[in-house]
Amino acid sequence: MGELAVEKHVEYILAVEKRKDSFESVVMDHLRLNGAYWGLTTLDLLGKLDTVNADEVISWIMKCQHESGGFAGNIGHDPHILYTVSAVQVLALFNKLDVLDIDKVATYITGLQNEDGSFSGDMWGEVDTRFSYIAICCLSILRRLDKINVEKAVNYIVSCKNLDGGFGCTPGGESHAGQIFCCVGALAITGSLHHVDKDLLGWWLCERQVKSGGLNGRPEKLPDVCYSWWVLSSLIMIDRVHWIDKGKLFKFILDCQDVENGGISDRPDDAVDVFHTYFGVAGLSLLEYPGLKAIDPAYALPVDVVNRIFFSADN
Amino acid sequence: MYGNSWDEDRAMDLLNQLEAILESDPLIDEVGFIHPSQFVTLCKEGGESGDSSEDDVLGPRNTKFWNRDHKLGISTEVLLPLCKAAKGAFMDAMKQYRTLNSLSNNKHEHENIMYGSLSRQSFDSEIMKHSRALLLLSCDFGTAWNSRKLVVSKKQQLAMLMDELLLSALVLSYSPKSEQAWSHRRWVIKMIAGKCSTMPEIITKESELVEKIAERSKMNYRAWNHRCWLVSYMTREQMLHELKKSRDWAGLHVADNSCFHYRRRLMLGILKNSCCKQECDDSSYDVENYQVVKEELDWNEVLIKRYVGREALWLHRRFLSQCSISHLTMNMHGISSQSEQKTSMDNEISIFMHNELCLLNSCSTIQDMEFEDFQAQAMYSAIYYLWLIKLIPQFRESEVQVKLKAGNLKTILHKTCPERSFLWDFLDLNGSL
């Protein structure tokens, strides 16, 4: 088993930011703020956040804010809760939440809660449990959870639980490891994990591990590095992580590295990208890989950042 | 050097070409990106067949776009400049649109009626034109989808809403997983639902679209999620019909868990629907419901034996067993005083359990260690049985567990999935195994 190519991954992430003229980077342009979160959180977990110019990043992020208080994926685009969470998380990484008009952001998110407790992603009304997680995660970081109806929000998430113990996008939607992370994360943050049947869900999640050691997100799918994050973090939150074979998962993630040019791919020998690089490193952090910062399974931020938010003196 | 402006002019020219094609052939239902080498072959074929309708718009020697029989091909060579030009044109149009909006908000209304309505029309059509081109190149560009919602919701015309369904289907033809394209459909359907009597027809068409896309794009979560979402708009009869209609497809795609989840969603819809109706005192539904589950259970067994070692089939069986048992035990509570019926229910439960045990026995014997499928079958069957024991108390209490031909569960699991330690933990808790 190889080792984590830390320096290569740092170089790779810093280089991605400069590569702006490929078709891929043009079609990903609208979610650049998500990309910033993946890249910068990876750098922080690797202990290299100081290699980027924080002021530049922050001033760009603030240009992505819409008058409604929500953030767009890039300058001039429409706001969406998906990008708002990335903005808040990146500002938290840099310990710069104070540049925000916190009540304005909170008002944007609060305004997206529906009568049944669910959350829309933006003014156009698509509902998804991912948006519930984001709303709850964001408001908790901003210390404004009291602005929404938490009980209704929790009840809506519980209504998306399936007989197999997992969760889907909306009531009756198929269980999916990504959605499960969102629902379990939201329940963890609101102290509502008693709604989860931990043995049953743990069982379903453990069955995601395939022979190669990697995890898939649904039955019969190929393994993918990104589920190292979604499945593992969920297992940790429900205290069943000892049910999978950690050694084999370690090996699978490390096998997905491009050791020459840096970056991590979905499966061994595929093309790398920032998204999978983040989830690979975050997965290794959950597995307590030596030298990596620990990551919080619910907030998806380094533990020291989360501690700073909730336990610093001025709060 | 000529600098950027020359490139930009060429890119704008390409964009104009693309938009002209889209304008001239509104029925395009498929778009794809084609490598230049394939392009040459395609164009030759087109020329030989004698039909050169694309020449009208593009001239005879176009090697960037190909349009025939309502199919559109775009050369991969021009994707990058085209995409940049489309994005630039769209963002400019949006900027002007916003400026116009803020102007009209500030001025007195009557000053705007003449000037405003005219220019507004043209701004609307600019936005519709550029966003359409852009979305064919960058399918998840949310702001472009939103701009269309903005224009369409102002006009409130059914024809425009139907056009949006066409555009979304066109985008899905090259990017079947596009979350934004699926979400746009739901927005349109919600708009239509309030004002149109053809909803059942639209739901049927949507369902067919998902099936068509699922054929090309296996285990597509977004597509099947959309189909599950449709269920909330269906009547009981439609659900029963969908269940029947999707059966053949499922039988041919036994690894597609999403398709079986769709069937579970339909069955739950049918069961729930009858719970509400039962309050109106109609118990015939109940028998019919159990029949739906029972038929699926039998059919699932046939598939399990035909397609050895398929995880999705075994997971589907967990759901079906759970429904059966809860149906049987629920009825038992209802009739506790009538001992005759209780005996018959007890009987049905033991028949069910006996059948599952027979299935385990026939599937847990590894006929050939060479083939992974047989090992997988033995593993899934053993885990399925373990799952029954965990979830259904009757199985725990019964003595049937010891009658396995292939040794006990522990031996089978040790042989087939030594890496799944959580199962050992569970077995230890139930020490008797």
Side-chain angles (χ1 to χ4, degrees), chain A residues 60-123:
Chain A
W60 167 71
I61 287 182
M62 295 313 286
K63 284 183 198 146
C64 295
Q65 190 171 24
H66 187 253
E67 58 192 18
S68 62
F71 284 79
N74 208 337
I75 300 169
H77 290 246
D78 287 353
H80 195 286
I81 202 167
L82 279 168
Y83 311 117
T84 306
V85 70
S86 289
V88 169
Q89 284 171 316
V90 172
L91 291 173
L93 283 180
F94 287 117
N95 197 16
K96 285 284 185 190
L97 285 171
D98 56 354
V99 302
L100 282 178
D101 178 343
I102 286 180
D103 285 315
K104 197 171 175 186
V105 182
T107 304
Y108 173 76
I109 298 170
T110 310
L112 293 172
Q113 188 169 33
N114 301 306
E115 194 47 44
D116 62 0
S118 66
F119 280 83
S120 300
D122 64 8
M123 63 178 282

Side-chain angles (χ1 to χ4, degrees), chain A residues 5 41 51 60 65 96 101 106 112 136 154 159 171 178 182 186 198 210 221 244 247 252 261 289 292 302 313:
Chain A
T41 309
T51 53
W60 167 71
Q65 190 171 24
K96 285 284 185 190
D101 178 343
L112 293 172
I136 286 168
V154 166
S159 77
C182 290
K198 294 178 180 135
V210 301
K221 296 279 286 181
I244 61 158
F252 177 81
N261 302 306
Y289 189 91
L292 288 182

Side-chain angles (χ1 to χ4, degrees), chain A residues 21 29-30 76-78 124 126 130 163 172-174 176 206-207 209 211 218-220 242-243, chain B residues 80 84 87 98 140-141 143 146 179 186 219 221 257-258 261 265 310-312 315 318 420 422 425:
Chain A
D21 219 39
D29 199 47
H30 64 274
H77 290 246
D78 287 353
W124 298 105
E126 174 81 354
R130 284 182 302 160
L163 281 174
E174 183 187 357
H176 180 294
C206 288
E207 288 184 300
Q209 190 162 37
K211 293 259 182 226
R218 283 181 289 144
E220 306 259 15
H242 53 285
W243 279 5
Chain B
L80 180 59
K84 281 182 168 174
K87 193 189 148 194
R98 287 190 187 119
D140 277 322
F141 203 109
T143 308
N146 292 345
E179 194 186 323
R186 286 189 284 277
M219 296 191 253
Y221 187 78
N257 187 62
S258 299
H261 181 81
R265 173 79 184 89
R310 298 293 6 154
E311 185 181 15
L315 292 183
R318 291 183 191 175
R420 293 201 161 151
F422 73 98
D425 282 10

Side-chain angles (χ1 to χ4, degrees), chain A residues 20-24 26-31 74-80 82-83 122-128 130-131 162-164 167-176 179 197 199-200 202-204 206-211 216 218-221 242-245 248, chain B residues 79-80 83-84 87 91 94 98 137-138 140-143 146-147 149-150 153 177 179 183 186-187 190 218-222 224-225 228-229 254-255 257-258 261 265 268 310-313 315 318-319 322-323 379 383 386-387 390-391 416-417 419-423 425-426:
Chain A
K20 281 185 180 157
D21 219 39
S22 67
F23 182 62
E24 286 72 23
V26 172
V27 293
M28 300 298 264
D29 199 47
H30 64 274
L31 46 79
N74 208 337
I75 300 169
H77 290 246
D78 287 353
H80 195 286
L82 279 168
Y83 311 117
D122 64 8
M123 63 178 282
W124 298 105
E126 174 81 354
V127 168
D128 192 310
R130 284 182 302 160
F131 308 148
N162 290 315
L163 281 174
D164 59 21
F167 294 83
C169 304
T170 49
E174 183 187 357
S175 296
H176 180 294
Q179 302 292 148
D197 183 337
D199 282 346
L200 189 63
W203 186 314
W204 191 92
C206 288
E207 288 184 300
R208 300 303 108 238
Q209 190 162 37
V210 301
K211 293 259 182 226
N216 62 21
R218 283 181 289 144
E220 306 259 15
K221 296 279 286 181
H242 53 285
W243 279 5
I244 61 158
D245 188 332
K248 282 182 104 175
Chain B
L79 276 183
L80 180 59
C83 192
K84 281 182 168 174
K87 193 189 148 194
M91 290 304 250
M94 272 313 277
R98 287 190 187 119
L137 302 158
S138 179
D140 277 322
F141 203 109
T143 308
N146 292 345
S147 71
K149 295 189 183 91
L150 205 62
S153 59
K177 291 183 177 172
E179 194 186 323
S183 163
R186 286 189 284 277
W187 180 83
K190 280 188 256 177
K218 301 288 181 242
M219 296 191 253
N220 180 333
Y221 187 78
R222 293 279 152 216
W224 285 99
N225 193 53
C228 283
W229 174 81
V254 290
N257 187 62
S258 299
H261 181 81
R265 173 79 184 89
L268 286 174
R310 298 293 6 154
E311 185 181 15
L313 293 176
L315 292 183
R318 291 183 191 175
F319 168 85
Q322 208 173 351
C323 282
M379 176 182 82
I383 297 179
L386 207 56
W387 186 88
K390 176 168 168 58
L391 242 82
T416 56
C417 55
E419 68 278 7
R420 293 201 161 151
S421 65
F422 73 98
L423 294 172
D425 282 10
F426 179 69

Side-chain angles (χ1 to χ4, degrees), chain B residues 357-424:
Chain B
L357 190 70
C358 288
L359 181 66
L360 174 65
N361 258 327
S362 74
C363 297
S364 59
T365 327
I366 303 171
Q367 295 170 12
D368 191 339
M369 280 301 273
E370 290 284 299
F371 290 105
E372 276 184 19
D373 291 350
F374 285 111
Q375 287 193 53
Q377 181 87 325
M379 176 182 82
Y380 289 131
S381 67
I383 297 179
Y384 166 69
Y385 206 75
L386 207 56
W387 186 88
L388 285 179
I389 294 170
K390 176 168 168 58
L391 242 82
I392 303 169
Q394 284 91 337
F395 276 83
R396 238 184 340 253
E397 290 153 13
S398 75
E399 293 173 22
V400 286
Q401 302 146 18
V402 288
K403 297 181 198 160
L404 295 175
K405 281 186 201 146
N408 60 20
L409 280 177
K410 208 168 188 167
T411 326
I412 304 170
L413 292 168
H414 259 303
K415 214 185 287 178
T416 56
C417 55
E419 68 278 7
R420 293 201 161 151
S421 65
F422 73 98
L423 294 172
W424 316 135

